[in-house]
Amino acid sequence: MKHRGSAAGDDGFHRETFTLPREQARLKAKEQFRKFPSAAYMTSIESWRVLPGDRIEFTMRRLKSAD
């Protein structure tokens, strides 16, 4: 698994980018939504793309805290 944080400036959101095989990417996204529910953290998949070898690169965005 490859992942990196994003330096998109401080807009109050935390971003992580993952590159995984398709099924693992699906599981990772589900895990992130369970860990950081959309209602509290405004969690979303900001962008995604299919890479060679049926790998998926996607960026998850969420608020840094649920306060």
Side-chain angles (χ1 to χ4, degrees):
M1 169 176 76
K2 170 183 166 186
H3 99 280
R4 64 182 192 275
S6 176
D10 191 11
D11 61 359
F13 285 95
H14 174 77
R15 291 173 175 84
E16 285 185 272
T17 299
F18 301 91
T19 304
L20 297 162
R22 184 178 298 268
E23 189 56 34
Q24 289 179 15
R26 183 177 288 124
L27 294 173
K28 176 56 80 172
K30 285 180 181 183
E31 172 191 315
Q32 293 293 301
F33 281 116
R34 275 192 307 274
K35 201 173 186 180
F36 305 104
S38 295
Y41 290 91
M42 295 176 58
T43 304
S44 66
I45 296 176
E46 188 170 66
S47 63
W48 67 277
R49 65 184 178 141
V50 180
L51 300 174
D54 204 31
R55 294 177 63 81
I56 307 295
E57 179 182 88
F58 64 102
T59 300
M60 298 289 300
R61 180 183 83 168
R62 65 176 167 82
L63 290 173
K64 292 179 182 178
S65 74
D67 295 337

